Amino acid sequence: MPQPDAARDGAIRLAARLEPRVNQLARAIVERQRAEVPGFDLLPGEMRDVEIAATARHAIRGFLRHVQGLPDTDIVVFRERAAQRAEEGLPLVQLLRGYHVGAEVLLDALSELARPGEEGALQSLTRMQLRALRATVENVTEAYLAGLADQQGAARELARALIRGDEPEEVAARYGLSLESGYLVLSVRTPEPPTPVAARRLLRRALARLAPLAEGRVLSLPDECGGCVLLPSRTALDAVAGRISSRPPAAPIVGAATAGSPREVPAAAERARRIAAVADKPGLHRLQDVLLEYHLSGAADSAPELGALLEPLDGQPGLTATLAAFLDCDFDRRRTAQALDVHPNTVDNRLARVTELTGVDPHTARGVQLLGAALTLHRIAGREYR
């Protein structure tokens, strides 16, 4: 039976045969990662072809030093790389899979190089590699999560500064973050009476679904009902709506407003919050979707948009006057026609045109409320019905 020293010497001799193949093995690790790690091809070319290959070479040489009983310095490098990957948004599972692929390539190479009678040496090296992999995974995970926590903390501080209007440029500069030229601001809330746990879960689910739309450039700030999410203003509302679940229990109520610049975020956040508060069903809601409820909630910023509801009727003779007369005559088309001295069919045609131009049907309960409120603002402004 081989003595411990003899077994160690055999392992050292077998491992030493890897030395001339370090560069070749590093390239093989990169190719295996390209084939087996999801999203690998989406990484920047320099990272794939230079940095990851350099890390692989460093890992192989570190393993050879470990076999010889020399000090192992790899962990510091791996921890630095893990923190960088967290900052770049690479998922942890992909990062760890890359390390497992590297271990498999190394063990395959040792198996090919082992000669008859070196089974014990190969078994010893396999154990060493598994122990080294365990230590690496533990350190990489710890460093990644620490880096992620730092990154999330910085992002939350920036979100808070934007929403409160508290010098976001200064906060962004302090943490090395960049500001968007404008933001799509979402207020996410649960339709049920909120609990702290339910609110946090709701926001996490929303972030997981929305983050891909922003290529990771998403900010959030939780609150007691869910929270506020900031996406780049170029994010399409239709895409957001498509990613918002409409099925209970994961169906949030989401208010949306756009800020044309970082300085407009506080007002947009308040508008989005009020939209979500007055909306009565899950889904994505813009101001025009809840315009009447929003206005009745006492919001001063909705009057211009509500009044503008009738702007498409400007320059269209008789439409505003016909709408006003129709409401005054309690929706009686014949009385409306008599008041205007026109044929009832003319009233029907004009009201159909009102619906076409405004998108609001005066024959419906909601249409009556919206158009009646708009006519009131029209009258307050001293404009004549034409």
Side-chain angles (χ1 to χ4, degrees):
M1 183 173 182
Q3 297 300 313
D5 287 345
R8 184 167 56 250
D9 290 343
I12 291 173
R13 286 194 299 272
L14 174 54
R17 295 175 203 148
L18 291 177
E19 187 67 43
R21 303 177 60 180
V22 169
N23 290 333
Q24 175 187 347
L25 290 170
R27 289 193 296 271
I29 289 172
V30 172
E31 289 306 313
R32 279 278 296 274
Q33 289 182 345
R34 187 190 305 276
E36 298 180 20
V37 177
F40 185 86
D41 281 334
L42 300 179
L43 299 175
E46 182 178 354
M47 183 189 299
R48 294 195 313 262
D49 304 329
V50 179
E51 185 176 302
I52 293 178
T55 303
R57 287 194 297 271
H58 192 79
I60 297 168
R61 292 195 174 106
F63 177 69
L64 297 179
R65 288 174 58 85
H66 176 69
V67 172
Q68 297 170 24
L70 299 174
D72 186 1
T73 59
D74 288 335
I75 293 302
V76 173
V77 174
F78 295 153
R79 291 182 69 91
E80 291 176 352
R81 293 288 186 266
Q84 291 169 3
R85 298 297 88 84
E87 183 178 348
E88 293 157 356
L90 182 73
L92 178 60
V93 66
Q94 294 183 16
L95 177 64
L96 296 181
R97 186 174 295 185
Y99 281 104
H100 281 83
V101 166
E104 290 174 12
V105 170
L106 201 59
L107 290 175
D108 288 346
L110 287 169
S111 297
E112 292 174 6
L113 293 170
R115 298 166 183 168
E118 292 185 322
E119 290 81 4
L122 179 60
Q123 187 178 57
S124 177
L125 289 172
T126 300
R127 290 197 185 99
M128 289 184 191
Q129 176 68 340
L130 291 176
R131 286 195 294 269
L133 179 62
R134 181 181 63 192
T136 299
V137 166
E138 290 173 353
N139 276 275
V140 163
T141 301
E142 182 181 90
Y144 182 97
L145 294 178
L148 189 62
D150 289 343
Q151 180 187 0
Q152 290 176 339
R156 187 147 295 169
E157 283 299 312
L158 180 56
R160 183 178 289 108
L162 281 163
I163 292 168
R164 294 181 178 177
D166 188 15
E167 303 298 335
E169 295 85 358
E170 179 182 324
V171 175
R174 184 191 315 153
Y175 291 110
L177 301 174
S178 59
L179 289 172
E180 300 291 338
S181 59
Y183 288 90
L184 174 61
V185 184
L186 306 176
S187 178
V188 181
R189 75 172 182 89
T190 171
E192 305 297 332
T195 65
V197 172
R200 287 195 297 270
R201 287 178 177 173
L202 187 78
L203 185 61
R204 282 199 299 269
R205 283 195 297 264
L207 286 171
R209 298 187 67 84
L210 295 172
L213 296 177
E215 299 176 350
R217 299 176 68 86
V218 56
L219 301 173
S220 66
L221 188 66
D223 60 29
E224 66 278 5
C225 295
C228 188
V229 177
L230 304 179
L231 301 169
S233 57
R234 61 181 176 276
T235 308
L237 270 174
D238 288 346
V240 172
R243 286 185 171 266
I244 296 292
S245 173
S246 59
R247 293 173 296 182
I253 294 176
V254 181
T258 300
S261 70
R263 293 292 175 180
E264 295 177 16
V265 169
E270 174 57 24
R271 173 176 283 197
R273 185 200 64 77
R274 192 182 288 265
I275 290 171
V278 301
D280 62 353
K281 59 183 179 182
L284 181 70
H285 303 271
R286 299 158 298 174
L287 178 57
Q288 53 264 49
D289 300 322
V290 293
L291 186 54
L292 181 63
E293 296 86 348
Y294 186 95
H295 188 67
L296 294 177
S297 71
D301 61 336
S302 57
E305 189 151 348
L306 184 57
L309 194 62
L310 298 180
E311 285 184 358
L313 307 187
D314 291 346
Q316 304 287 328
L319 294 190
T320 305
T322 299
L323 174 63
F326 182 67
L327 298 184
D328 287 341
C329 294
D330 290 329
F331 326 122
D332 187 319
R333 59 190 287 273
R334 294 191 178 277
R335 284 176 55 200
T336 302
Q338 291 173 358
L340 297 173
D341 195 23
V342 296
H343 193 279
N345 288 345
T346 301
V347 173
D348 292 337
N349 292 336
R350 289 179 179 177
L351 293 177
R353 185 63 174 153
V354 167
T355 301
E356 179 183 346
L357 291 174
T358 65
V360 181
D361 187 349
H363 295 89
T364 65
R366 182 169 184 79
V368 169
Q369 291 174 314
L370 269 174
L371 293 170
L375 283 168
T376 298
L377 291 174
H378 198 92
R379 184 168 56 251
I380 290 172
R383 299 176 63 183
E384 296 181 1
Y385 297 152
R386 295 171 183 248

